[in-house]
Amino acid sequence: MAWTTWVTLMGFVGLTALAVLAAGPAARRAGSDTLAAVTARLARAAVVLGLLAVPAVLTDLARGASETGGYDYRAAWNSLYDGSNDGRLSGLEVTLILVGAALIAPLTVRAVAAGPARRWLLAAGLGAGAVALGTTKFPDRTPDDWGRTGFETLMWMLHLLGGGVWLGGLIGLVLLALPGAVAPADRGGFWAPTIRRFSAAAMSCVAAVTLSGLFLYWEHVDGPSQLLSTMYGRVLGVKILLFGGLLLLGVFNQFWLHPRIEALRAGGDRRPLGTLLLRRFPAVVGTEVLLGLTVLFVAPFLHGSARNQAFQAGLAKHSAAVTDTLPKLAPKVAHASTWAWGTAETVLVIALMIVGYRISARLARRRGAAFTAAVTPADPGDLVEA
């Protein structure tokens, strides 16, 4: 149930962000018909995910509210806005995702999808969905340390929103690659700028997920050895491996597939290679989607902290006492060296993303120029002379 909740909430945010940041601007250049078709398809998928998020959240709450191990939906419904902080956050989560779906619902009609209200409805829906996703990690009680709690919340927001825009955007690209969204005559002018825009957004998401993940690793893990010696560490290790697979596929897209699609666009996209690449692109993106869904399946198993699990295991070896409350270590304290390392990591990750994006853009321009030169007809004078 936790997996379903994450998929629906993050998918809603990602599909809406794709329509705002990448697919919408590219479709507008291709023509009003393409803009209407692309927006309507993404809006329909986003509305479906937004509506499915409500029973997913309620079922998760019903499982926790049941005293018999079943699902108490009455108690789950009554817990929304029950006066507690948990109730307020759960109520906001359900309310805002419904508001987001309602705002985007008019865009499922093609006549509205290309109209002047399109941009405002998408922006408002994206804002509502982003806050609904954030409520899952907002603090449920007044913090003792506002600075630390605020920074932790910021890191979680980067982690969730970065993953949502990345994964949901990939789902949207797969949907747009299916027949009916983009006319064959407009594919060359649509896909290259869409992929390029999404590539920039995805690399920003990679930076956000990586940096926030490094902070969460520092907060919950005391060294690489705990990745093997604790349950939290082993689950985190699996998640890191899956994330690494996503990065490798992203590198393949960024430095091999995307530049060649740019080259096909420059050459008119009429050669058989164009069909090959446009078929391979959905397959690679589909594989990325499956890996991303697997990451979301693994993530709910991350409970507690590797630091506390290792600490509790050490105490259990030397004590036979049974207690209801397990002892926990105090939270880590950030020192000057911690901030120095964090700043260096941030600068390095951002620099790598910028350099990678520029290198891939340069490759695209070079291959586009080479492709255009290769398909340009020869000078008639040369043919006569030959």
Side-chain angles (χ1 to χ4, degrees), residues 139-379:
D140 57 0
R141 60 179 180 272
T142 303
D144 297 327
D145 186 346
W146 281 95
R148 183 184 183 92
T149 303
F151 191 78
E152 288 177 349
T153 304
L154 174 62
M155 290 297 102
W156 273 115
M157 290 298 292
L158 288 176
H159 211 66
L160 295 178
L161 292 177
V165 172
W166 188 11
L167 178 59
L170 291 172
I171 294 174
L173 291 178
V174 172
L175 292 175
L176 294 178
L178 297 176
V182 183
D186 296 331
R187 287 174 185 170
F190 170 78
W191 276 110
T194 297
I195 292 170
R196 200 69 198 158
R197 284 175 170 269
F198 177 74
S199 176
M203 294 187 78
S204 301
C205 293
V206 169
V209 172
T210 301
L211 292 173
S212 56
L214 287 171
F215 169 78
L216 297 172
Y217 176 88
W218 170 82
E219 191 174 44
H220 294 293
V221 182
D222 279 337
S225 62
Q226 291 185 356
L227 292 177
L228 299 176
S229 61
T230 65
M231 178 59 68
Y232 183 98
R234 288 191 285 270
V235 174
L236 180 60
V238 173
K239 184 181 176 184
I240 291 173
L241 290 175
L242 292 171
F243 180 72
L246 277 172
L247 284 181
L248 290 177
L249 285 175
V251 169
F252 173 78
N253 282 337
Q254 189 71 24
F255 293 99
W256 193 89
L257 201 56
H258 295 179
R260 282 164 173 78
I261 291 178
E262 290 274 4
L264 290 170
R265 181 196 179 197
D269 196 14
R270 296 178 179 177
R271 301 179 72 188
L273 180 61
T275 304
L276 174 64
L277 284 177
L278 291 177
R279 287 178 179 175
R280 186 177 298 178
F281 174 73
V284 174
V285 175
T287 304
E288 287 188 79
V289 170
L290 291 177
L291 280 177
L293 294 177
T294 307
V295 170
L296 294 183
F297 183 80
V298 171
F301 291 94
L302 285 171
H303 291 291
S305 168
R307 298 176 65 241
N308 287 323
Q309 290 175 6
F311 175 67
Q312 293 157 5
L315 291 178
K317 292 180 180 179
H318 303 91
S319 175
V322 179
T323 59
D324 294 332
T325 304
L326 293 174
K328 295 182 179 180
L329 293 170
K332 283 185 177 180
V333 178
H335 301 288
S337 61
T338 308
W339 289 108
W341 278 106
T343 303
E345 290 171 348
T346 301
V347 172
L348 178 61
V349 170
I350 294 176
L352 286 174
M353 296 298 107
I354 294 175
V355 170
Y357 184 79
R358 289 188 174 182
I359 290 176
S360 63
R362 186 175 300 176
L363 288 174
R365 288 193 296 270
R366 288 179 178 177
R367 286 168 180 162
F371 188 94
T372 303
V375 299
T376 300
D379 183 29

Side-chain angles (χ1 to χ4, degrees), residues 26-88:
R28 183 183 297 277
R29 293 182 180 180
S32 59
D33 291 340
T34 301
L35 178 63
V38 167
T39 303
R41 177 166 292 192
L42 293 178
R44 290 166 188 166
V47 169
V48 169
L49 289 180
L51 295 178
L52 289 176
V54 176
V57 172
L58 289 175
T59 302
D60 199 12
L61 293 174
R63 177 66 177 174
S66 176
E67 298 179 354
T68 61
Y71 296 89
D72 191 342
Y73 285 94
R74 182 186 296 274
W77 180 258
N78 292 333
S79 68
L80 304 180
Y81 299 111
D82 61 357
S84 66
N85 289 332
D86 282 336
R88 294 188 188 95

Side-chain angles (χ1 to χ4, degrees), residues 104-117:
I104 295 178
L107 299 177
T108 60
V109 180
R110 291 197 178 192
V112 182

